[in-house]
Amino acid sequence: AGFLLLGLALVQPISLASAYAALAAYVATRILLRATGKANEPAGPWVRRALVAAAIPLPLLLYYGVGSLTDPALRQWAAQNVLVSPHPVHYVLAYAVLLLPAYLGARDLVRTRPDAGWFLTIWLLALIVLAYVPVTVQRRLIEGAWVVLCILAAAGIRSIQVEARRRRVLAGALLATTALTSVLLLAGGLSAVLRPSVPVYRSAAEVAAFAWIADNAAPGSVVLA
């Protein structure tokens, strides 16, 4: 697990925060089950394994952190990488289709499979907290939320006491509704490609002007446009 996290740090270091949240949620679940008498296995070994897994990519994460504070290029990149979370109402509307079945799934799993139920619930709550920590990349910190919501929603649909055919219809309706976002994204991309215009495309004259400035202006020159 630690080396998989190291690979993640090489690809997208910001996602380590979300991965650490998942680890912390699982450790919290083991401690909770042990404290409430629902698990006989001690939580200590799981805590040690989680700490080892989290420690393996930590040097690389610290290196990125120091670099973001000291390297001019990384500082400039971080300054423009502003991805703050919207008002919570926007998240509620975005995930509205899955919230009710996810709630039903969490309730059912906590009763029937407390290890999975509490783990997924605590993980989702941790991601909600991360979405509003005081950093500029809040929206990057909720990665994994779809995994939790989809598992809980699937469990919620399964728990509904209706015949199998109606349950399949409900699942299909949920799938079709949540696929609308992907359809809109694809349609928007195709529309931008089929109708060349700014900002996706720049005019030939503008590109020529940029090229001329790059070839003739001294570095650091101020251009009035």
Side-chain angles (χ1 to χ4, degrees):
F3 287 108
L4 289 173
L5 290 176
L6 180 61
L8 176 63
L10 291 169
V11 176
Q12 175 56 286
I14 297 174
S15 296
L16 273 180
S18 308
Y20 283 165
L23 277 176
Y26 191 74
V27 169
T29 300
R30 304 305 306 187
I31 294 174
L32 175 66
L33 295 178
R34 176 68 173 178
T36 56
K38 295 180 179 179
N40 296 323
E41 187 179 6
W46 291 102
V47 175
R48 288 192 293 271
R49 292 170 187 168
L51 290 176
V52 170
I56 290 176
L58 193 58
L60 186 59
L61 186 62
L62 294 175
Y63 170 77
Y64 285 139
V66 173
S68 297
L69 296 174
T70 58
D71 183 87
L74 290 178
R75 287 174 59 186
Q76 181 61 33
W77 180 84
Q80 60 80 43
N81 190 36
V82 179
L83 297 164
V84 295
S85 289
H87 191 281
V89 170
H90 289 267
Y91 278 134
V92 172
L93 293 175
Y95 296 116
V97 176
L98 291 181
L99 289 182
L100 179 58
Y103 167 74
L104 296 176
R107 186 181 64 177
D108 181 65
L109 285 176
V110 165
R111 294 171 179 172
T112 59
R113 292 187 54 192
D115 53 343
W118 281 115
F119 167 53
L120 293 169
T121 301
I122 296 173
W123 184 7
L124 184 59
L125 292 175
L127 292 178
I128 293 173
V129 171
L130 283 179
Y132 291 99
V133 296
V135 295
T136 59
V137 289
Q138 293 172 332
R139 275 186 285 159
R140 285 282 182 264
L141 303 183
I142 62 169
E143 292 185 357
W146 265 117
V147 175
V148 184
L149 282 172
C150 288
I151 294 173
L152 290 177
I157 294 173
R158 184 185 61 187
S159 68
I160 297 175
Q161 299 299 318
V162 295
E163 60 185 60
R165 183 179 62 83
R166 292 184 178 180
R167 193 180 295 118
R168 287 195 295 270
V169 170
L170 177 59
L174 279 174
L175 180 62
T177 305
T178 54
L180 288 176
T181 302
S182 300
V183 172
L184 290 173
L185 287 172
L186 287 171
L190 287 173
S191 175
V193 170
L194 294 175
R195 293 185 296 178
S197 60
V198 293
V200 178
Y201 295 91
R202 316 304 302 187
S203 69
E206 187 178 27
V207 173
F210 290 151
W212 187 92
I213 292 173
D215 293 336
N216 295 277
S221 298
V222 177
V223 178
L224 179 63

